[in-house]
């Protein structure tokens, strides 16, 4: 039985790890950012010649991250309604949390997954947000999408 998954739709991982790994009825996603597959551009990010962030839109990055999570879930045999826990990494909590929190509320419904949001100094690529997601994929449960 396959226990690790690599999406053919989401951006390739930036390191040596799978997009997701299944353990029992749980699916653990590796960190997912807003990059697009087969592209060097990051939605909502302007970079200078040195590759440093000049400006960014947390709104555009959040939308792209949520879409990438959805793609990884789908390619791993799960869906959005299977998410039970989300860890959020933001590089600017003070400026970006409110926008992120409002978008999060529009993508999830009550009962919301558990969530932890932390600020980090930087992420592996010039992005402002990354999500780590856990999904429960027991197909015998009552399923809400």
């Amino acid at each position: 039985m396959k226990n690790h998954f690599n999406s053919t739709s989401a951006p390739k991982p930036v390191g040596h790890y799978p997009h997701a790994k299944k353990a029992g009825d749980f699916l653990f996603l590796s960190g997912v950012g807003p990059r697009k597959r087969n592209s060097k551009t990051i939605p909502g990010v302007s970079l200078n010649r040195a590759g440093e962030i000049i400006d960014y839109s947390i709104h555009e990055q959040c939308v792209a991250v949520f879409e990438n999570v959805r793609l990884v879930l789908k390619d791993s045999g799960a869906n959005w309604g299977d998410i039970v826990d989300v860890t959020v990494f933001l590089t600017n909590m003070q400026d970006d949390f409110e926008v992120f929190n409002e978008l999060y509320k529009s993508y999830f419904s009550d009962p919301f997954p558990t969530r932890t949001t932390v600020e980090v100094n930087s992420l592996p690529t010039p992005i402002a947000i990354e999500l780590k997601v856990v999904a429960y994929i027991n197909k015998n449960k009552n399923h809400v999408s």
Side-chain angles (χ1 to χ4, degrees), residues 2-145:
K2 187 173 181 183
N3 70 353
H4 66 278
F5 303 89
N6 281 304
S7 173
T8 58
S9 307
K12 293 180 180 179
V14 296
H16 303 290
Y17 53 85
H19 281 117
K21 186 166 284 265
K22 186 173 187 276
D25 290 336
F26 289 93
L27 183 70
F28 298 87
L29 274 63
S30 296
V32 177
R35 295 178 302 111
K36 293 294 182 193
R37 187 168 183 90
N38 299 325
S39 174
K40 297 236 185 245
T41 61
I42 301 168
V45 176
S46 299
L47 302 174
N48 64 18
R49 291 183 190 263
E52 301 162 327
I53 298 172
I54 299 170
D55 191 32
Y56 69 95
S57 164
I58 192 63
H59 184 278
E60 287 182 53
Q61 286 194 49
C62 288
V63 170
V65 166
F66 291 148
E67 177 59 24
N68 286 341
V69 167
R70 194 179 308 274
L71 293 169
V72 172
L73 287 168
K74 180 181 176 194
D75 286 350
S76 302
N79 65 54
W80 196 259
D82 295 327
I83 297 173
V84 295
D85 184 64
V86 179
T87 303
V88 184
F89 301 95
L90 295 174
T91 59
N92 187 339
M93 186 77 73
Q94 184 171 348
D95 292 344
D96 298 343
F97 180 79
E98 187 176 333
V99 171
F100 165 76
N101 202 43
E102 283 302 309
L103 279 167
Y104 184 90
K105 185 172 65 173
S106 72
Y107 277 81
F108 291 94
S109 58
D110 198 15
F112 293 96
T114 58
R115 187 180 91 193
T116 302
T117 306
V118 296
E119 183 176 59
V120 295
N121 287 333
S122 65
L123 291 161
T125 59
I127 58 177
I129 183 171
E130 182 173 287
L131 296 185
K132 174 95 175 88
V133 172
V134 178
Y136 180 68
I137 54 174
N138 180 332
K139 296 306 175 188
N140 296 322
K141 70 183 184 322
N142 291 333
H143 189 72
V144 178
S145 294

